[in-house]
Amino acid sequence: MATVHAPAIPAVYGGVEAGGTKFVCCVGTGPDDIRAEARIPTTTPAETLDRAVAFFREHTDRTGQPLTAVGAACFGPVELDPAAPAYGHITTTPKPGWAGTDVVGALRAGLGVPVGFDTDVNGAALGEVRWGVGVGLDPFVYLTVGTGVGGGAVVNGAPVHGLVHPEMGHVRVPHDRVRDPFPGSCPFHGDCLEGLASGPAIARRWGAPAQTLPAGHPAWELEASYLAELMAQLVLTLSPRRIVLGGGVMTGPGLFPMIRARTRELLAGYVSAPAVEAGLQDVIVPPGLGERSGRLGALALAEAAVAAEGLQRP
Ligand code: ZN
């Protein structure tokens, strides 16, 4: 007697790129199949999460197709340990009203599907590994340089979690106060990398928004020198096959060539690999998914949540 299979329901995922100024929500299965998208301003936690849930419910009602799972790539810091009582919460963010917000709980309660959850930058890293310039390149690092500096990493196919999660934007870098008297703007550390190299740090140091500073302005060489310090530290600690640098500041003129050159100088011939000798053009690169790394990463987190819960259909 032939086995009768139930008709397979094709998977479709929801993704939430949860940022401090906006939530970008999407429905689809990948970069070539985004079926709906919405931008929701980040206001109060309740209002913002309610609007995200409403967007997904409306899509399901309109199409008749239930979501298979939802993923959230979230600003943080966040709790990623599934055994912790605060799993899925935003923890110590200075963003008013958001500390202690239960993001996973709200999505699970509102939508009743598995929820994948990670930091915004771990999500973006996973998105680039799934569909962008990180395919087949492991370990892989995604770094964003914008209102803050944040980094995520994928090692052995999964975003890195541990004691907490990587916070590589807050490493300390050499700060020559003669060359750069700016004291740094990180509320926790002062002159950590974020305090010296974020968009707001650039604006405060030079008295003008980063995007208004022309090519050849000393801001860019200084910026490249700070970011190269982290690039060299990452090469030395994680040995990533590729590092993506995204975020608004990275559109600054000439940054990539200056960062690659300075990183190579800092490695000082000690790390020997053809990619280093070739000038790191294939190692330090812009995002393959443009501005969509985060929201597509959220879809990849949803996909991974289904696999983790053993619900993957054949
Ligand atoms: Zn810091």
Side-chain angles (χ1 to χ4, degrees), residues 170 186 189 192:
H170 291 268
C186 175
H189 314 112
C192 67

Side-chain angles (χ1 to χ4, degrees), residues 4-292:
V4 178
H5 291 283
I9 301 169
V12 64
Y13 303 104
V16 183
E17 180 184 5
T21 55
K22 66 177 185 295
F23 276 37
V24 181
C25 301
C26 63
V27 175
T29 60
D32 301 325
D33 176 31
I34 296 297
R35 303 174 196 180
E37 197 167 281
R39 286 158 190 270
I40 297 166
T42 307
T43 56
T44 63
E47 181 183 41
T48 311
L49 288 162
D50 281 355
R51 287 188 65 185
V53 166
F55 162 75
F56 291 120
R57 282 189 178 160
E58 188 276 329
H59 184 268
T60 298
D61 290 347
R62 182 161 45 80
T63 62
Q65 186 176 20
L67 295 178
T68 312
V70 172
C74 189
F75 73 96
V78 295
E79 178 59 78
L80 296 176
D81 177 359
Y87 171 71
H89 290 54
I90 296 171
T91 57
T92 54
T93 179
K95 189 170 175 58
W98 280 84
T101 297
D102 183 2
V103 175
V104 168
L107 294 173
R108 204 176 266 155
L111 299 168
V113 296
V115 179
F117 184 66
D118 217 311
T119 64
D120 44 8
V121 277
N122 263 347
L126 193 64
E128 288 287 344
V129 165
R130 181 73 176 80
W131 293 295
V133 293
V135 174
L137 296 171
D138 195 315
F140 175 83
V141 170
Y142 179 95
L143 200 88
T144 182
V145 187
T147 52
V149 180
V154 171
V155 177
N156 295 330
V160 172
H161 304 168
L163 182 66
V164 190
H165 46 72
E167 285 285 3
M168 53 188 86
H170 291 268
V171 297
R172 290 210 179 260
V173 294
H175 178 195
D176 178 345
R177 286 173 186 268
V178 176
R179 181 189 185 198
D180 175 23
F182 180 65
S185 61
C186 175
F188 292 89
H189 314 112
D191 61 349
C192 67
L193 180 63
E194 175 171 302
L196 292 171
S198 67
I202 297 170
R204 278 177 55 185
R205 178 187 291 111
W206 300 103
Q211 64 269 24
T212 65
L213 301 174
H217 190 285
W220 299 119
E221 196 186 348
L222 185 67
E223 179 73 6
S225 73
Y226 286 139
L227 293 173
E229 295 286 344
L230 177 57
M231 297 300 100
Q233 292 178 22
L234 287 170
V235 169
L236 295 168
T237 51
L238 272 180
S239 209
R241 292 183 190 276
R242 185 160 282 175
I243 302 169
V244 157
L245 283 167
V249 169
M250 289 310 302
T251 57
L255 275 179
F256 276 95
M258 286 192 286
I259 291 168
R260 292 179 189 124
R262 180 62 185 150
T263 302
R264 199 172 167 214
E265 269 176 36
L266 289 167
L267 294 172
Y270 178 70
V271 176
S272 172
V276 178
E277 271 113 58
L280 295 162
Q281 292 96 323
D282 292 331
V283 177
I284 300 171
V285 302
L289 301 173
E291 294 179 347
R292 301 196 299 163

